[in-house]
Amino acid sequence: MTVFVKKYQNNNRKNESAFGKWYGRAVVIDKVEIEELADEIQDNCTVKRSDILAVLSEMGPAIKKMVQKSIKVTIPYLGSFKLGVKSMGVDEADDYDTKKHVKGLHVIFHPETKKEQGRMVKELTRGARVAEVPKNLAYLTDEDDDETGGNQGGNQDTTANDEP
């Protein structure tokens, strides 16, 4: 499998050591929705597409219900989901009030990671290779800049291949 990368120049002056340098950024050339995902799963097992759609349709609400009960949800070959808290600090424990000091919640996703040949490898990246996005697909990548953070700058992790 190939992960496409495009070059971009950092124009964020907040990090002078990175400013003006060129980096690679993973790009999205297409998207798949639940129906196509069900087709892919059906091709790899004996379960019917309609049953797969039913399960996938309920997976999001089920995960939401569990994480909102402070339960970590782990899905094999994918990873785990839990909620995190954005909170203000106080000097004394007795001064902390969740209603006053909790400013928001966010989702924490940890991809499944296994040790292979002495290295930790994320399941979602295992076997992936990187290549520059072909010129005939480059036009598809411009709209994704906002989704990936635009040219926010800084040192970018361009590692898509966890294998040696």
Side-chain angles (χ1 to χ4, degrees), residues 87-100:
S87 175
M88 293 175 54
V90 295
D91 292 328
E92 301 292 328
D94 290 341
D95 294 338
Y96 190 83
D97 179 355
T98 55
K99 288 184 172 78
K100 185 175 173 183

Side-chain angles (χ1 to χ4, degrees), residues 45 81 83 87 98 109 117 130 147 158:
C45 67
F81 299 86
L83 291 184
S87 175
T98 55
F109 171 71
Q117 300 175 355
V130 295
E147 190 175 310
T158 57

Side-chain angles (χ1 to χ4, degrees), residues 37 41 55-67 71-82 107-114 121-124 126:
L37 191 57
I41 294 169
V55 171
L56 291 176
S57 295
E58 291 302 318
M59 192 164 94
I63 291 172
K64 176 182 175 181
K65 182 178 181 181
M66 293 296 125
V67 297
I71 297 171
K72 180 166 127 178
V73 177
T74 301
I75 301 170
Y77 307 104
L78 183 62
S80 63
F81 299 86
K82 66 181 182 177
V107 176
I108 300 171
F109 171 71
H110 290 281
E112 182 172 297
T113 306
K114 293 184 178 176
V121 178
K122 292 176 180 65
E123 181 62 30
L124 293 174
R126 189 165 47 94

